[in-house]
Amino acid sequence: MLRLALHGGNSVRRGKPWPLWPSFDEGTERAALAAIHERRWAASWPSSGAPSYELRFASAFATYVSAAFAVAVDHGSTAVLLALEAAGVGAGDEVLVPAMTWVASASAVLRAGALPVLVDVDPETGCIDARAAEQAVTSATRAVIVVHLACTVADLDALLAIATRFDLAVVEDCAQAHGAEWRNRQVGTLGDFGAFSFQSGKVLAAGEGGAVTTSSPSAFRTLQQLRADGRTYADDVAPGSMELVVDGTVMGANHCMPEVLAAVALDRLAQLEAQHDRRTTQADELERRLAAEALGIRGLSSHACVTRRSIYELALRVDVDAIGVPVDTLATALTAELERPVYPPHDPLHRSPYFSPSTRPRFRNQWTKDGAMRSVGRSFPGADAYRRSTLLTHHAALLGGEDDIDDFVHAFQKVLANVVALRNTSGVEGRAVSYS
Ligand SMILES: *Cc1c(COP(=O)(O)O)cnc(C)c1O
């Protein structure tokens, strides 16, 4: 039996480099330089006569997701916040949020002045469970945030039916799902709003950035103002004049996406489909081989309505009871073999160090004793099960060649041939890395 890299043996990978992320090429460099040279580094600055990169990127992105409208913003977190505000969410309201998500989905609710009520997730996908969502609805519930997690899509049929029944706004948090489809329709167009992130780790990376999609012309006008201090885009602009003009029907704040980053995002958008195809081919092959190996590790089974997946992190389901080693330990051993991070999910929000509203004075009104009980005062067995039985790896691992899949399979084989040695390895606390 080969000695694990974790225990001083040779690694499976043996120093071979992995694809680098974020990706860029000469076109990206030219795009960024052009934006720098134009000296309009912010949307709120005199125009050259050409539309801002922010506006050009937003319309290209709307076309990409087949949404009627998109507004570019500074971060994905902001996209969730502004979608909630455009939906009319505010003080005194409750918003349903899955317990298994990046903290931004919940902190956006608090920043909107509302209370995030955590809802358990489907242990297979990690996405919000429709039945649990229905049970959490009260007369104060105004909206539900549906997160399409890692490489899956939430059960939109069931969730949209509940939203209709209880008159809830649906914000799809698509920060991990650009380009995924449900019944051949792109996510971000099925709910009232889609919220996307272009942070460095995401499949469309610009450094920082986000966008809100909507089919409503009035919400589009509201969103523009929310992100640009009450301003909207003028219909046409003369060189040297401002493209952003006061509208004043909604007070906003400055959440504009920087022009240089919007230029980078616009360039990167052109590569997204080819990268999607590469990742999907690699993931399909890895999942097929893991199934054939019967190691107790498999791909997640996705809903029949998912006609296309988008892989932000490839999630694998681990039969931890049969294997007898915690996912945290397996992750550490796999990371050493592969020389790139394999990691368990973040802890669900009800026991996450990231989610601690009591540390922020601004959340005092919502985070009362009663509010905290409403938000987290239940058990979340689906989220706990997902956390203890899932391994994740970042999508960049799937952008290389077939040899990479061989290495993944060999690493799994080797680690699982060494479970006896691993049972004596003390559990490693938390995640080796965090990409979120
Ligand atoms: C990354 C992410 C966000 C936040 O996006 P930022 O651009 O980092 O602010 C929100 N929700 C989910 C599910 C994410 O993964």
Side-chain angles (χ1 to χ4, degrees):
M1 194 159 36
L2 292 171
R3 193 131 80 111
L4 290 173
L6 180 65
H7 295 151
N10 288 324
S11 72
V12 166
R13 190 68 182 177
R14 289 176 177 265
K16 198 175 140 212
W18 287 95
L20 297 174
W21 192 263
S23 67
F24 65 89
D25 57 26
E26 285 170 7
T28 324
E29 292 171 358
R30 272 196 302 275
L33 263 183
I36 289 170
H37 285 211
E38 285 166 40
R39 289 186 195 274
R40 183 181 175 186
W41 293 359
S44 178
W45 196 248
S47 107
S48 61
S52 66
Y53 284 103
E54 198 212 37
L55 183 58
R56 275 184 266 168
F57 169 63
S59 37
F61 190 71
T63 303
Y64 174 77
V65 298
S66 306
F69 306 104
V71 175
V73 296
D74 51 3
H75 302 95
S77 308
T78 308
V80 181
L81 167 65
L82 301 193
L84 289 168
E85 292 202 71
V89 170
D93 295 334
E94 291 181 359
V95 176
L96 308 181
V97 179
M100 183 58 67
T101 180
W102 177 236
V103 66
S105 320
S107 55
V109 175
L110 289 162
R111 289 198 286 156
L115 182 72
V117 172
L118 300 192
V119 173
D120 204 10
V121 302
D122 175 347
E124 177 63 23
T125 61
C127 295
I128 190 165
D129 181 83
R131 192 116 48 94
E134 183 170 0
Q135 284 163 2
V137 173
T138 69
S139 57
T141 313
R142 281 291 291 273
V144 55
I145 295 179
V146 174
V147 181
H148 306 303
L149 197 69
C151 53
T152 61
V153 178
D155 184 352
L156 282 166
D157 286 8
L159 291 159
L160 293 171
I162 290 165
T164 303
R165 204 160 112 221
F166 295 100
D167 196 21
L168 310 179
V170 176
V171 175
E172 291 179 78
D173 181 340
C174 305
Q176 305 189 1
H178 319 58
E181 292 179 7
W182 179 264
R183 293 184 186 278
N184 298 309
R185 278 182 64 189
Q186 293 241 11
V187 300
T189 65
L190 289 108
D192 299 289
F193 298 95
F196 292 83
S197 165
F198 312 114
Q199 190 269 346
S200 284
K202 312 292 167 150
V203 294
L204 179 54
E208 300 279 5
V212 188
T213 54
T214 182
S215 62
S216 156
S218 66
F220 178 52
R221 187 174 162 201
T222 298
L223 286 163
Q224 289 182 61
Q225 294 177 75
L226 286 170
R227 75 89 173 74
D229 283 313
R231 290 170 293 178
T232 54
Y233 278 106
D235 289 335
D236 37 29
V237 274
S241 68
M242 293 291 281
E243 195 177 9
L244 289 174
V245 291
V246 68
D247 184 305
T249 50
V250 181
M251 181 176 173
N254 181 7
H255 293 296
C256 291
M257 186 174 186
E259 284 294 281
V260 178
L261 299 192
V264 168
L266 190 56
D267 170 78
R268 292 290 81 201
L269 180 58
Q271 305 304 319
L272 184 54
E273 284 301 282
Q275 291 178 339
H276 268 320
D277 290 345
R278 184 72 211 140
R279 282 190 282 260
T280 307
T281 303
Q282 293 283 84
D284 288 348
E285 178 63 11
L286 176 56
E287 289 170 342
R288 190 189 65 70
R289 289 185 56 186
L290 287 175
E293 296 283 333
L295 297 166
I297 297 187
R298 61 169 175 85
L300 303 186
S301 37
S302 64
H303 200 287
C305 296
V306 181
T307 43
R308 187 184 194 214
R309 60 177 172 163
S310 171
I311 302 167
Y312 165 63
E313 291 170 318
L314 184 66
L316 297 171
R317 177 57 24 77
V318 181
D319 188 345
V320 273
D321 294 324
I323 294 169
V325 176
V327 284
D328 302 65
T329 309
L330 294 174
T332 310
L334 288 162
T335 298
E337 296 303 338
L338 288 164
E339 298 168 3
R340 65 167 291 116
V342 175
Y343 44 95
H346 285 289
D347 284 333
L349 293 182
H350 67 285
R351 51 190 179 79
S352 165
Y354 293 96
F355 187 64
S356 49
S358 64
T359 60
R360 297 284 292 279
R362 68 186 294 198
F363 302 146
R364 225 177 259 148
N365 289 341
Q366 297 116 289
W367 208 253
T368 57
K369 219 166 176 194
D370 186 54
M373 267 310 282
R374 292 256 346 110
S375 177
V376 298
R378 277 169 309 297
S379 61
F380 301 91
D384 290 330
Y386 181 87
R387 168 62 180 82
R388 75 183 283 273
S389 64
T390 307
L391 284 174
L392 301 171
T393 197
H394 185 252
H395 64 85
L398 303 171
L399 286 172
E402 283 163 36
D403 293 1
D404 295 343
I405 301 308
D406 291 337
D407 284 351
F408 265 105
V409 173
H410 293 153
F412 280 112
Q413 286 171 328
K414 185 176 167 189
V415 166
L416 290 164
N418 276 283
V419 286
V420 175
L422 275 179
R423 282 185 197 129
N424 300 323
T425 304
S426 61
V428 179
E429 287 296 308
R431 298 159 44 116
V433 286
S434 159
Y435 275 114
S436 291

